[in-house]
Amino acid sequence: MVEKNRRVVPIPEGVSITKTGNVVRVEGPLGILEREFSYPRINVEIKDNEVVVETDSKRRRYIAMVGTYASHIHNMIKGVTQGFSYELKVVYSHFPIQISVKGNLVEVSNFLGERHPRYARIVGDTNVEVRGDRIVVSGINKEEVGQTAANIEQATRVRGLDVRVFQDGVYIVSRGE
């Protein structure tokens, strides 16, 4: 029988997890991630070679947060061991789109023939590579990588025109998790 109010996340070889106060720190071969876990009546403990997330409540909201915390810790472990990457494709039929990375911004020039470039923010320590008509967004923090890919996709949203005709843009085509 699976206990609803308790989740166990195993710690693989090469990964060390420490907890100081409410902050959980995960260190692995690709880097270090830290996250604060503070919610009433939920305990995060590191025992033996596993992380135990549990609550003493039977209420649905606390049981849901136990699952959420366990998923966050699992994603942190996966991030420092394997990393996350999204692949986006540049699609145009009217005007050739130029993509470039400038600091912590992705610049989209000549989108639908517009004179001024559009910009998308790169979140955190995410790497963005432009390879022809493909853009690869990678990093160890799943939320930062996903938000950066979404920012790039949203920067090339068609506004004020018929999207059935103007299908130009940058679209997420795969999540290589």
Side-chain angles (χ1 to χ4, degrees):
M1 182 174 144
V2 176
E3 292 184 49
K4 288 184 183 179
N5 54 358
R6 177 185 162 111
R7 295 279 173 94
V8 177
V9 180
I11 301 173
E13 291 291 321
V15 176
S16 65
I17 298 180
T18 56
K19 182 179 178 229
T20 309
N22 291 330
V23 177
V24 174
R25 179 183 172 104
V26 180
E27 296 181 42
L30 297 181
I32 300 169
L33 289 174
E34 286 186 346
R35 186 176 187 124
E36 183 177 352
F37 292 102
S38 65
Y39 201 81
R41 300 180 73 174
I42 294 183
N43 300 324
V44 178
E45 295 178 2
I46 300 164
K47 297 179 181 175
D48 302 328
N49 228 5
E50 55 193 23
V51 180
V52 179
V53 184
E54 60 187 351
T55 182
D56 57 354
S57 176
K58 302 285 186 204
R59 293 186 136 192
R60 183 184 298 172
R61 75 167 5 156
Y62 295 109
I63 293 170
M65 281 306 289
V66 167
T68 300
Y69 277 11
S71 294
H72 283 314
I73 292 168
H74 175 74
N75 287 336
M76 291 169 71
I77 292 169
K78 189 172 180 183
V80 298
T81 55
Q82 300 170 4
F84 297 98
S85 69
Y86 281 56
E87 187 175 339
L88 294 92
K89 183 168 175 44
V90 179
V91 178
Y92 59 88
S93 60
H94 296 90
F95 296 95
I97 301 171
Q98 286 95 34
I99 308 282
S100 61
V101 178
K102 295 187 176 179
N104 66 342
L105 294 174
V106 175
E107 182 182 71
V108 181
S109 301
N110 200 34
F111 180 70
L112 296 177
E114 295 174 346
R115 292 176 186 231
H116 300 289
R118 295 185 180 196
Y119 295 97
R121 192 169 61 90
I122 298 173
V123 183
D125 295 329
T126 306
N127 301 321
V128 178
E129 291 180 51
V130 180
R131 303 176 185 161
D133 69 338
R134 300 281 178 170
I135 301 171
V136 178
V137 181
S138 60
I140 61 173
N141 189 325
K142 184 175 187 174
E143 293 174 8
E144 291 176 354
V145 172
Q147 187 60 54
T148 300
N151 289 347
I152 295 169
E153 191 176 52
Q154 287 297 308
T156 60
R157 224 173 91 220
V158 176
R159 297 180 197 103
L161 299 172
D162 190 351
V163 294
R164 296 170 296 180
V165 175
F166 294 91
Q167 295 180 356
D168 301 25
V170 179
Y171 301 102
I172 297 172
V173 291
S174 74
R175 294 177 181 94
E177 300 178 314

